[in-house]
Amino acid sequence: MTEAAKSWFMFARSFDYLGTTLFVGGVAFLAWLWPDGADTARGRRLLAFGWLCGFAGTVASLAFNAAWVAGRPPSAALDPSVLLPLFDAPFGRVWFARTLLWVLALVVLADLTRRGSRAARSWSWRVGAGAIALGVLRTNGMTGHVLDLPGWSQVIVFVHLLVVCVWIGGLLVLLLAVLPARDRDALIAVLPRYSRLAVVSVATLTVAGAVLAFQLIGSVDALLHTGYGQLLLAKLVLFGLLLVLGFASKTWVDRRLRVAATTRGLALSVTAEAVLAVGVLGVAAFLVTTGPGR
C-alpha cells in the first residue's frame, strides 16, 4: 500500500512540475518577451492551465505524501488523521505554504485576464507575479533530498529550477500560443529573443546541473550503478536531445525567420523539443522521490 501511495505521489508531482514550469515560464514569457500575448485567448488559457496543474498537483502531492509517510493506502490521502500530523513536520508546512502561494497566483492570473497586455507591461503586475513565482520555486527546492545540500548549493538549486521554467515553459508557450497564431510580426519579435534566452539557459543549466550532480552522486560508480544515477543519466540523454533540437531551431531562426513567417520544419522541431522537455519533467518527478544513494 505504501508503494501505491508513493506512485500516486510521483504522478501528482509530475503535474506539479508541469504546472510550475508552464506558469512560471509563461509569466516570464508574457512579461518580457511577448506582452501582447496576454491579449490572446491562447496565451491566457495556457497560463490558466499551468496554474490549474500546479495547484492541483500541489494539493494532490500534499495528500498522497501524507499517506505515503503514514504507510497508508492512497485512499487514506484525505483522511484528517493522516493529513494533520503532516503539518507538524517542516516539509508539511512547506507544502501548505506552497498551496497558499498557488492561491495568490490566482489573483495574478485574474488581473492578467482582466487587463491583458496592460497588466503584462505594468511593473506592479510583474513584481507581484515575479514574487509569487519565486516563492513557488523556492518552496519546490525546500522538499526532497536537496535539503541535505549546503546553503550555497540551495542557491544553485533555485537557479536551476528558475532557468528550467523560463526555458521549457517559454518553449511550451512558443509552441502552443505563438506559432499557432501565425503572426509574422510576433514571430519576428519573439523568436530571436527567445532564442538568445535559450542559449543563456542552456549554459546556466549545464553548469548548475554539473555541480548538483556532483553534490548528489559523488562518484561515477554511483552514477552507473544506482537507481538514482540511472534516472539522472536518462534525464541527461533527454537533455542532450533537447540541445540538438534546440540548435536546429536556433539555426532556422537565424537563417530564415525574415524570409517566411513559419515553416513545418520549425514547428516539428519545436514540437519534438516540447515532448522531450515534458519527458525531462517526468524523470525529475521520479528523481525527487529516489534517494541519491539508491
Side-chain angles (χ1 to χ4, degrees):
M1 292 298 184
T2 301
E3 287 301 315
K6 178 182 177 181
S7 298
W8 278 100
F9 172 65
M10 288 190 294
F11 182 70
R13 279 313 301 259
S14 298
F15 272 90
D16 182 21
Y17 274 127
L18 176 61
T20 300
T21 302
L22 190 51
F23 185 82
V24 174
V27 162
F29 197 97
L30 293 179
W32 301 108
L33 301 183
W34 192 37
D36 289 337
D39 290 329
T40 67
R42 283 192 180 94
R44 293 194 299 267
R45 283 199 299 262
L46 204 55
L47 209 59
F49 180 72
W51 179 87
L52 181 61
C53 287
F55 177 74
T58 295
V59 173
S61 295
L62 171 64
F64 289 123
N65 195 15
W68 178 24
V69 170
R72 300 286 296 278
S75 57
L78 298 179
D79 187 337
S81 65
V82 172
L83 278 174
L84 292 179
L86 190 68
F87 295 109
D88 293 328
F91 70 90
R93 292 191 287 270
V94 169
W95 277 111
F96 182 68
R98 184 176 175 83
T99 303
L100 293 180
L101 284 168
W102 279 115
V103 174
L104 288 176
L106 186 59
V107 177
V108 169
L109 182 61
D111 187 38
L112 186 75
T113 301
R114 182 174 64 88
R115 294 196 295 144
S117 60
R118 289 189 295 116
R121 287 189 171 91
S122 69
W123 280 102
S124 59
W125 186 86
R126 290 177 178 179
V127 170
I132 292 172
L134 295 180
V136 168
L137 290 179
R138 179 61 189 128
T139 53
N140 191 80
M142 294 172 68
T143 60
H145 49 260
V146 294
L147 285 175
D148 298 328
L149 297 176
W152 63 270
S153 294
Q154 294 293 324
V155 176
I156 296 177
V157 170
F158 179 81
V159 171
H160 182 270
L161 292 172
L162 176 60
V163 174
V164 165
C165 288
V166 170
W167 179 30
I168 297 180
L171 178 68
L172 293 173
V173 175
L174 181 65
L175 172 65
L176 299 174
V178 180
L179 287 177
R182 296 183 179 275
D183 185 332
R184 179 182 174 81
D185 292 336
L187 287 171
I188 290 175
V190 171
L191 279 176
R193 296 176 194 168
Y194 176 75
S195 182
R196 290 191 293 269
L197 178 65
V199 171
V200 175
S201 299
V202 167
T204 305
L205 277 176
T206 301
V207 175
V211 173
L212 289 176
F214 178 78
Q215 287 282 314
L216 292 170
I217 297 295
S219 68
V220 175
D221 183 70
L223 180 66
L224 297 175
H225 299 103
T226 64
Y228 185 90
Q230 290 164 3
L231 281 173
L232 183 57
L233 282 175
K235 183 180 177 182
L236 290 175
V237 170
L238 292 175
F239 179 69
L241 292 174
L242 265 175
L243 293 184
V244 173
L245 290 169
F247 178 76
S249 296
K250 184 178 185 304
T251 300
W252 187 97
V253 170
D254 293 340
R255 293 180 180 178
R256 302 180 61 187
L257 177 60
R258 296 187 181 277
V259 177
T262 185
T263 69
R264 184 180 180 185
L266 175 65
L268 289 175
S269 177
V270 174
T271 301
E273 285 183 68
V275 171
L276 287 172
V278 172
V280 169
L281 296 178
V283 174
F286 280 88
L287 284 171
V288 167
T289 55
T290 303
R294 296 181 180 179

